Amino acid sequence: MELVRVGEKTYYIKNATNIGIYKIDDNNIYIIDTGNDKDAGKKILKIIDEQGWNVKGIINTHSNADHIGGNKVIQDRSNCIILGNNIEKSFTEFPILESSFLYGGYPFKDIRNKFLLAKESIVTSIENNLPDGLEYFSLKGHFFDMIGIRTSDNVYFLADSLFSEETITKYHLFFIYDVREFINTLDYLNTLDGKIYIPSHCEATDDISSLIELNKNKVNEIMEKIYNACEKKCLLREF
């Protein structure tokens, strides 16, 4: 993990899931997402301790395990508040919901692991509870009520609203809860005028236009393939 400063008050920790940090004053910070598990949480705390900061709060962009995995250890050690949005708040308080939702019933043992089942944490609604200097905005599509965070430095944390070129090239398919909303979110991202953009699983950048286009093209490509496959099957049934 590497701490990178991207604004007067804004930092992020480069990680498999990028971690945002915002200084609300000289000594106190809010964290944006906490990585995959307690080990990630401990590493985050080590970096924060080295800077002489105190954790006042955590903001979770959404409730996937790789974004809330460090919540419990950080909350237990700092007694900080954790802020979540709507359905994401419930999934963070009851993490079994993620693997149950993905499986469609009580999840079997192999999907009750740290990649899909984080430790539960105590969560407060994000509404009206953000500190000065931070604002949140909707990024629906990938998961139920995912949000992004803008800091006073005009830095945008974009959660999983964009997938990296490496992920798209390697896998082609990525998890989208609501395809229509995912496309709407991509269109919304095109309207932003930020200094720096930090998606959770991509490099920080000052220009996301090409990444937006790459994501949109891949989603449209997959939809077209599905439509064509369904159309061929319907034609075969006619005979």
Side-chain angles (χ1 to χ4, degrees):
M1 289 186 174
E2 176 189 353
L3 181 66
V4 180
R5 189 172 188 173
V6 288
E8 180 184 355
K9 299 180 178 180
T10 310
Y11 303 71
Y12 79 102
I13 298 173
K14 295 181 71 172
N15 187 41
T17 301
N18 290 322
I19 311 299
I21 293 178
Y22 182 76
K23 292 181 68 177
I24 58 174
D25 57 41
D26 287 343
N27 301 313
N28 298 296
I29 65 160
Y30 267 67
I31 301 171
I32 302 167
D33 291 332
T34 61
N36 194 66
D37 54 20
K38 67 178 181 181
D39 290 335
K42 290 177 181 177
K43 291 176 182 177
I44 293 167
L45 284 173
K46 184 175 184 294
I47 290 172
I48 290 167
D49 288 344
E50 288 171 351
Q51 299 299 317
W53 297 334
N54 302 310
V55 181
K56 296 298 288 185
I58 294 168
I59 303 164
N60 288 138
T61 60
H62 61 300
S63 57
N64 288 168
D66 61 328
H67 292 257
I68 67 170
N71 276 17
K72 182 171 175 54
V73 67
I74 295 174
Q75 187 174 60
D76 285 350
R77 295 189 181 185
S78 67
N79 198 33
C80 69
I81 189 174
I82 296 176
L83 301 178
N85 187 44
N86 295 336
I87 295 175
E88 307 296 345
K89 174 181 180 296
S90 298
F91 272 60
T92 305
E93 291 179 317
F94 304 98
I96 192 68
L97 290 173
E98 181 181 359
S99 47
S100 297
F101 160 68
L102 293 173
Y103 183 55
Y106 183 74
F108 56 93
K109 183 178 179 180
D110 286 352
I111 60 172
R112 283 184 279 119
N113 56 46
K114 70 177 184 178
F115 300 106
L116 292 173
L117 183 58
K119 297 292 184 182
E120 69 282 350
S121 47
I122 301 168
V123 187
T124 300
S125 174
I126 196 170
E127 190 172 358
N128 300 320
N129 283 308
L130 276 179
D132 292 341
L134 295 177
E135 61 183 81
Y136 76 95
F137 50 93
S138 177
L139 291 176
K140 289 188 176 182
H142 170 65
F143 219 52
F144 292 91
D145 286 313
M146 189 172 74
I147 58 171
I149 299 294
R150 178 186 178 272
T151 79
S152 60
D153 295 314
N154 204 24
V155 175
Y156 284 82
F157 291 91
L158 298 180
D160 287 358
S161 60
L162 291 168
F163 294 91
S164 69
E165 181 176 359
E166 292 77 11
T167 296
I168 291 172
T169 302
K170 183 175 181 179
Y171 298 108
H172 300 281
L173 292 170
F174 32 91
F175 184 84
I176 301 175
Y177 168 68
D178 186 326
V179 175
R180 184 187 299 275
E181 288 291 354
F182 186 81
I183 295 294
N184 288 341
T185 288
L186 294 179
D187 290 338
Y188 168 71
L189 294 180
N190 257 326
T191 70
L192 301 180
D193 185 21
K195 173 187 173 185
I196 297 290
Y197 305 94
I198 306 175
S200 290
H201 306 292
C202 305
E203 294 290 329
T205 179
D206 61 0
D207 185 357
I208 53 172
S209 56
S210 61
L211 196 55
I212 292 169
E213 193 67 19
L214 183 65
N215 276 258
K216 183 178 289 188
N217 288 342
K218 180 55 67 172
V219 171
N220 286 329
E221 175 193 327
I222 298 302
M223 286 195 297
E224 186 66 24
K225 289 182 183 294
I226 292 171
Y227 288 146
N228 289 339
C230 291
E231 185 177 37
K232 287 179 182 179
K233 191 163 187 178
C234 288
L235 290 172
L236 287 172
R237 283 184 175 180
E238 292 179 4
F239 294 98

